Amino acid sequence: QVQLVESGGGLVQAGGSLRLSCAASGRTFSSYGMGWFRQAPGKEREFVAAISGSGSSTYWAGSVKGRFTISRDNAKNTVYLQMNSLKPEDTAVYYCAARTGNSYYYTSSYDYWGQGTQVTVSS
């Protein structure tokens, strides 16, 4: 069982930056690949980025590659999403999740989810 709590969302102007954090409970955090997803109003939840348990491998959605950075600190049971050059289309609720399935890209591979944190980018 893993419990996840996101923080760091807020309102930012286009071109600005935010860093999201996701704190996890449990002593087996490093055994989970972790992902960030987002959901805008009226849209389905979509993959943003993911990182392997060791942190050696990362995965990206094309829309954020080069602007966002995912990292993790297994000693602190925390995964981060650094978001730079934000655009209004990045506005969404951002969720972190712990992967239990085979794929990093699909919501169905993640069994544990946080409550989400709102990111709003104004133009």
Side-chain angles (χ1 to χ4, degrees):
Q1 189 77 11
V2 179
Q3 292 183 326
L4 304 170
V5 179
E6 302 97 334
S7 61
L11 173 65
V12 64
Q13 289 189 332
S17 298
L18 282 174
R19 188 175 84 154
L20 305 184
S21 299
C22 173
S25 66
R27 291 178 289 178
T28 59
F29 176 70
S30 62
S31 67
Y32 290 96
M34 297 296 296
W36 285 98
F37 290 76
R38 66 187 181 187
Q39 188 166 18
K43 295 188 177 182
E44 293 195 355
R45 193 169 298 188
E46 65 174 4
F47 171 77
V48 175
I51 188 167
S52 62
S54 66
S56 61
S57 298
T58 56
Y59 308 84
W60 301 101
S63 58
V64 306
K65 193 171 184 179
R67 299 190 297 123
F68 291 10
T69 302
I70 189 170
S71 61
R72 65 190 297 160
D73 185 338
N74 286 340
K76 295 182 178 180
N77 279 16
T78 302
V79 61
Y80 305 98
L81 186 69
Q82 177 68 44
M83 305 186 295
N84 299 327
S85 302
L86 282 161
K87 305 175 181 180
E89 52 264 42
D90 294 318
T91 295
V93 177
Y94 283 71
Y95 299 89
C96 73
R99 168 181 166 267
T100 53
N102 292 326
S103 172
Y104 279 99
Y105 298 98
Y106 300 105
T107 58
S108 58
S109 288
Y110 296 79
D111 277 344
Y112 303 108
W113 293 83
Q115 83 288 351
T117 186
Q118 177 71 47
V119 172
T120 303
V121 184
S122 63
S123 58

